Amino acid sequence: MRAVDDASQSDWLPDPVAGIVGLDYYVAGEGVDTAAYAVCPRCQSTTVIINYPEEFEPDLEVWQPFEDGIAAWKEAGEGSAPCSHCGASVPVTQWQWGPSFALGALAFDFWNWPSLSTRFCATFSQQMGHRTVDHGGKI
């Protein structure tokens, strides 16, 4: 109950939590398998991958270097994508992704839970000793 924002429903009981181990990417949207955008950690420029609201599909040419870098990272533990703004080759794990996309080696699926509280997420991140991402969605 302390992990969620709204535990006011007295009859609510936690549903399963699945732990997922292994290098992978995680999406929160239905049917979307890419990031909407990525921010270069070197120059802070944003690369738009899905141009909402005009487009609802990724620009595959823009996404391809990221997809290749993520595939290399999943296979070998290292992969990078070039920034089209500053030209730097940046490890895919350092890019800042849009809110519905994340890369990780450990993930948790909270089935049928209310939103996790900010305090819980901050404490969890601190205890893990790694950057964490919290994104909700229906998959």
Side-chain angles (χ1 to χ4, degrees):
M1 298 299 250
R2 295 183 317 212
V4 298
D5 272 337
D6 181 12
S8 62
Q9 297 175 339
S10 60
D11 60 342
W12 176 76
L13 294 173
D15 280 342
V17 176
I20 305 161
V21 178
L23 302 180
D24 214 339
Y25 66 92
Y26 303 93
V27 295
E30 292 183 40
V32 177
D33 207 25
T34 66
Y37 62 86
V39 178
C40 176
R42 308 280 164 80
C43 70
Q44 300 303 307
S45 294
T46 299
T47 299
V48 175
I49 298 161
I50 303 176
N51 190 19
Y52 293 122
E54 289 80 22
E55 302 288 330
F56 295 97
E57 298 293 326
D59 181 325
L60 297 179
E61 188 175 321
V62 173
W63 177 243
Q64 191 64 55
F66 293 107
E67 185 175 41
D68 293 345
I70 291 168
W73 169 73
K74 287 174 63 174
E75 179 71 26
E78 293 181 15
S80 61
C83 176
S84 61
H85 301 276
C86 70
S89 181
V90 180
V92 293
T93 55
Q94 291 180 15
W95 283 89
Q96 299 162 10
W97 304 100
S100 297
F101 189 89
L103 298 177
L106 176 64
F108 296 95
D109 278 338
F110 291 82
W111 291 93
N112 202 26
W113 281 54
S115 296
L116 298 173
S117 73
T118 302
R119 181 176 179 198
F120 173 80
C121 291
T123 301
F124 183 78
S125 182
Q126 181 181 29
Q127 289 178 348
M128 290 293 293
H130 293 277
R131 178 177 59 152
T132 61
V133 177
D134 172 37
H135 63 74
K138 181 179 176 186
I139 300 177

